[in-house]
Amino acid sequence: GLLWCNNSFAKEIILNCYKLDPEKSQMIAEVYAKIEGTKIDSEIDLQKKILHFDGYKFDIVLETQRKIVAKKSNERITIDRYDGILVLDDEITTPVENIARYVCEIQKEEKKLF
């Protein structure tokens, strides 16, 4: 998978994430985001169960083969490991309010951000 981390690899994953335009279809939004969008650096440390996203620290509360879920107060991040889609939402609202969606890809060069 896109964001799958095998035990033989490092436990830290550096991602480049781009905000998706909710007005565009998924495929077109991904293309535009990577060309025109501002890159947000993100780092996942599976060993420490920490996700740094846009300067904020989230605690990883669930890790499955398909997704990673991290929380900070009422905000929740869900990353789909297969397609790289990151969803930031507000759990306090009913129904849960989607704050933003991002497309993420693993950064090619290994460098520690935090």
Side-chain angles (χ1 to χ4, degrees):
L2 177 66
L3 302 177
W4 181 249
C5 186
N6 191 320
N7 285 340
S8 63
F9 296 105
K11 293 291 181 188
E12 295 164 352
I13 303 166
I14 310 296
L15 301 175
N16 294 330
C17 298
Y18 304 89
K19 190 171 184 179
L20 295 172
D21 184 342
E23 303 298 315
K24 294 183 171 81
S25 72
Q26 179 78 24
M27 190 184 326
I28 292 173
E30 286 185 35
V31 171
Y32 274 101
K34 290 178 183 178
I35 293 171
E36 299 174 352
T38 303
K39 180 179 72 165
I40 295 173
D41 290 322
S42 180
E43 181 176 329
I44 301 171
D45 189 324
L46 297 174
Q47 215 165 24
K48 294 179 183 175
K49 302 286 186 203
I50 295 171
L51 165 67
H52 289 277
F53 181 76
D54 199 19
Y56 296 97
K57 179 183 163 191
F58 290 77
D59 295 315
I60 295 173
V61 295
L62 177 68
E63 179 191 349
T64 67
Q65 186 173 352
R66 178 72 195 224
K67 66 183 177 179
I68 296 171
V69 178
K71 295 183 181 182
K72 175 183 74 71
S73 64
N74 62 309
E75 293 181 332
R76 175 180 63 188
I77 287 179
T78 304
I79 303 173
D80 187 310
R81 293 174 119 163
Y82 294 159
D83 63 14
I85 299 298
L86 180 150
V87 177
L88 174 63
D89 55 32
D90 184 347
E91 285 191 305
I92 283 188
T93 59
T94 306
V96 173
E97 182 182 329
N98 185 322
I99 298 170
R101 291 171 50 87
Y102 299 81
V103 59
C104 300
E105 57 191 15
I106 294 176
Q107 191 177 78
K108 301 288 187 268
E109 299 173 11
E110 287 288 324
K111 66 177 184 178
K112 189 168 170 121
L113 296 174
F114 304 98

